[in-house]
Amino acid sequence: MRGIGTNRRAAALGSAGVFVTAALIAGAVAAPSASAGTRHGQDREARGAAIAADRAAKAGVDWQDCPADWGLAAPIQCGWVSVPLDYAKPYGKQIKLAVDHIGNTGTKAERQGAIVYNPGGPGGSGLRFPTRVTNKNPVWANVAKAYDFVGFDPRGVGHSAPISCQDPQEFVKAPKLDPVPDSEADKRVQRKLAAAYAKGCAERTGKQTLAQMTTPNTVRDLDVIRAALGEKKLNYLGVSYGTYIGAVYGTMFPGHLRRMVVDSVVNPSREKVWYQANLDQDVAFEGRWKEWQDWVAANDAAFHLGTTRAAVQAKWLDLRAKAKKAPLGGVVGPAELISFFQSAPYYDSSWVPIATVFSKYVAGDTQALIDAAAPDMSDTAGNISAENGNAVYTAVECTDAKWPTSWQKWDRDNTALHKNYPFMTWANAWMNLPCATWPVKQRTPVEVTSHKDLPPVLIVQSTNDAATPYAGAVSLHQRFKGSRLITEKDAGSHGVTGLVNTCINQRVDTYLLTGGLDAADVTCAPHATPKP
């Protein structure tokens, strides 16, 4: 899903290029549910996961100061956990996953173990999670007393056997084609770019590795990390795509879970993962785009962009048309504008910065927008990270599930959606189109459901989330018996648990510290709206 968990185009999931999260031994895993046709392979993978977890429990993690260029200063420590590339071959090729941690800030008596975090993606790194402790983030202060904070780079991401699909400098180069096609010829060009990107994934990463870039494998990796940490049961916080990792973990390893908070939930339905989920996003993004425009209009005294949504939209369309005719600074066209402006529908924290830059442009300062939206070709490390994030996003979503191979279906669905939801539809389509010509076998998603031993799970979601529409939280809540849903009403920021909203913050603390949940689902008022 587009930018699930991170604004990949404007930041980390930088620029998004192709525009275009009782077996053989003690601590054994429960085999995932499966049809008879796939059971044998999954049994092998379940046994492989148990073998790998047993090996990791014996090895532990050799914690050291983090490498200087990782930007993670002491007392945060880093280490490695080895996992099989292919769990069906647990003694075959191994890859190393980067992990980091910081100890609990409370007493020994207060410690409840480790809590492991995934921020989303696919393609997001969780390594900055322990900085919530070193930066003294007040929202997480109570939880930090009880838990070690553990982050990791999932397989393929960052320092964990990173994958690639395209030369990073080529990936970020701008301007890219306007994602909204003017003709059939434009569509043909985009289709060629998408097919070339899929081919590049196979060439630069290798089919053997690409075929193992799946959510179930990341879930197995998570269980191996749990074992390496010396934890009998996992405490987990997943945001965005990280919620899908959590949903699949709860299905595959229900007895290995102690507490789990999932925030801004990917719809786990097999029918949604991943083609339909991306179409659903397009509708939700349009709604949030309009909410931002309403807010900009209400704050016209600060931004001077118009006193109505229609007036703000007119200025957006004017900017888009001018950038299409002559890219700003030669590099910022419609594609780059969408990459920058899409952060507003994602996060309330982006509302003021984006409106400010837009306001400056309308007042005659074009440079501010160029600086904000153009790629920095000198930032080679950032560009490598951006390309890697997009590669992992593509690899996981394309390998996880079967995608339509008929261009007619893609064309029909996206043409119809674009009529009423134009902000993101075509941009999202081209980004995912490599999945139509994917060079390795596509899997069948896990049927997310409750099994015996699954503990109560806490689900947190805002009603107007664009990246992960609210129906996803409802779907997971229905699937996980005993779960509780906290709804932040009339809000839409992606990632709720990190925001200041005492109605939510106190309940997350209570659950993680005591296991306690409300007797029924809870609806909370929205967090404070940004002020210019």
Side-chain angles (χ1 to χ4, degrees):
M1 348 234 6
R2 178 188 191 79
I4 284 196
T6 45
N7 183 5
R8 294 175 314 98
R9 289 181 190 272
L13 311 240
S15 161
V18 210
F19 217 112
V20 151
T21 37
L24 303 176
I25 51 175
V29 304
S33 60
S35 67
T38 58
R39 188 85 203 200
H40 178 64
Q42 290 191 344
D43 279 349
R44 285 179 62 201
E45 289 171 326
R47 282 195 294 271
I51 289 164
D54 187 53
R55 199 160 50 204
K58 290 181 177 130
V61 183
D62 180 17
W63 295 113
Q64 305 282 345
D65 286 344
C66 300
D69 61 349
W70 289 18
L72 299 163
I76 297 170
Q77 292 186 304
C78 292
W80 303 94
V81 175
S82 290
V83 298
L85 174 64
D86 180 353
Y87 278 94
K89 301 171 183 172
Y91 300 107
K93 183 179 177 182
Q94 308 291 304
I95 56 176
K96 286 187 171 180
L97 306 181
V99 294
D100 68 345
H101 85 141
I102 190 167
N104 73 304
T105 60
T107 63
K108 209 171 187 178
E110 287 176 290
R111 185 176 180 274
Q112 295 191 38
I115 184 165
V116 185
Y117 172 71
N118 180 275
S125 166
L127 290 180
R128 294 204 59 76
F129 183 53
T131 66
R132 296 188 187 185
V133 180
T134 54
N135 293 338
K136 297 183 166 53
N137 184 320
V139 171
W140 294 99
N142 292 328
V143 176
K145 286 180 184 174
Y147 290 95
D148 306 347
F149 276 29
V150 176
F152 72 106
D153 276 351
R155 62 170 54 208
V157 175
H159 306 292
S160 296
I163 69 166
S164 172
C165 292
Q166 188 177 16
D167 174 78
Q169 295 298 98
E170 188 65 27
F171 174 77
V172 301
K173 196 165 73 177
K176 306 214 177 291
L177 295 172
D178 183 349
V180 178
D182 290 326
S183 64
E184 290 302 313
D186 286 353
K187 293 177 183 176
R188 282 194 294 273
V189 173
Q190 293 279 20
R191 290 172 64 192
K192 279 183 183 172
L193 286 172
Y197 187 83
K199 190 177 176 209
C201 293
E203 289 171 352
R204 291 175 71 93
T205 294
K207 288 186 179 180
Q208 182 188 13
T209 297
L210 214 55
Q212 301 302 326
M213 290 294 299
T214 66
T215 299
N217 274 343
T218 297
V219 164
R220 294 177 185 109
D221 294 344
L222 181 58
D223 197 60
V224 175
I225 290 170
R226 170 201 60 76
L229 294 170
E231 300 284 321
K232 287 209 177 335
K233 297 203 171 186
L234 177 74
N235 303 293
Y236 178 74
L237 170 63
V239 181
S240 194
Y241 168 71
T243 68
Y244 186 57
I245 294 172
V248 176
Y249 188 94
T251 302
M252 289 172 60
F253 298 97
H256 292 192
L257 195 60
R258 179 174 178 262
R259 286 176 196 155
M260 179 162 76
V261 178
V262 286
D263 169 5
S264 304
V265 181
V266 170
N267 196 318
S269 163
R270 277 176 159 177
E271 286 67 45
K272 298 288 187 182
V273 174
W274 286 107
Y275 178 77
Q276 187 60 45
N278 279 281
L279 297 178
D280 292 347
Q281 269 189 331
D282 301 335
V283 176
F285 262 103
E286 197 72 30
R288 273 289 280 174
W289 175 243
K290 289 174 179 174
E291 283 178 39
W292 176 71
Q293 291 178 323
D294 288 339
W295 174 86
V296 171
N299 290 283
D300 184 62
F303 302 119
H304 313 294
L305 290 167
T307 57
T308 64
R309 179 199 299 171
V312 178
Q313 175 71 357
K315 285 192 170 62
W316 158 252
L317 293 175
D318 181 62
L319 165 60
R320 201 185 184 291
K322 285 176 177 169
K324 183 181 177 80
K325 190 174 180 182
L328 312 180
V331 287
V332 177
E336 291 69 37
L337 289 175
I338 293 174
S339 295
F340 174 63
F341 277 86
Q342 72 161 2
S343 192
Y346 261 107
Y347 310 110
D348 289 6
S349 59
S350 296
W351 282 17
V352 173
I354 288 178
T356 302
V357 170
F358 193 11
S359 179
K360 285 180 178 177
Y361 168 82
V362 170
D365 177 3
T366 303
Q367 194 58 45
L369 183 51
I370 295 168
D371 291 344
D376 180 356
M377 301 306 289
S378 68
D379 181 15
T380 51
N383 296 340
I384 288 168
S385 176
E387 190 280 326
N388 168 247
N390 198 80
V392 175
Y393 167 90
T394 310
V396 172
E397 293 212 359
C398 295
T399 310
D400 256 2
K402 292 171 177 64
W403 288 70
T405 56
S406 157
W407 165 246
Q408 284 70 29
K409 178 167 176 58
W410 287 76
D411 193 21
R412 184 173 64 248
D413 290 348
N414 288 282
T415 298
L417 266 183
H418 174 78
K419 286 174 186 167
N420 294 316
Y421 311 102
F423 179 66
M424 287 284 283
T425 296
W426 278 113
N428 217 3
W430 304 127
M431 184 173 170
N432 292 292
L433 190 59
C435 298
T437 58
W438 199 235
V440 299
K441 182 184 175 185
Q442 295 176 320
R443 310 293 184 96
T444 300
V446 169
E447 181 64 55
V448 170
T449 187
S450 281
H451 291 294
K452 192 170 65 115
D453 301 329
L454 179 73
V457 169
L458 181 60
I459 302 167
V460 188
Q461 177 85 27
S462 63
T463 54
N464 302 349
D465 191 315
T468 54
Y470 183 74
V474 175
S475 176
L476 183 61
H477 184 30
Q478 290 168 343
R479 289 160 188 271
F480 274 2
K481 286 178 187 167
S483 63
R484 283 285 173 272
L485 173 60
I486 300 175
T487 299
E488 189 184 27
K489 195 170 191 261
D490 300 326
S493 211
H494 186 59
V496 176
T497 51
L499 302 174
V500 176
N501 186 332
T502 52
C503 176
I504 296 168
N505 303 146
Q506 289 174 356
R507 285 176 167 84
V508 171
D509 280 359
T510 297
Y511 171 71
L512 288 174
L513 296 175
T514 71
L517 290 168
D518 288 274
D521 295 338
V522 175
T523 298
C524 292
H527 61 275
T529 304
K531 289 184 169 53

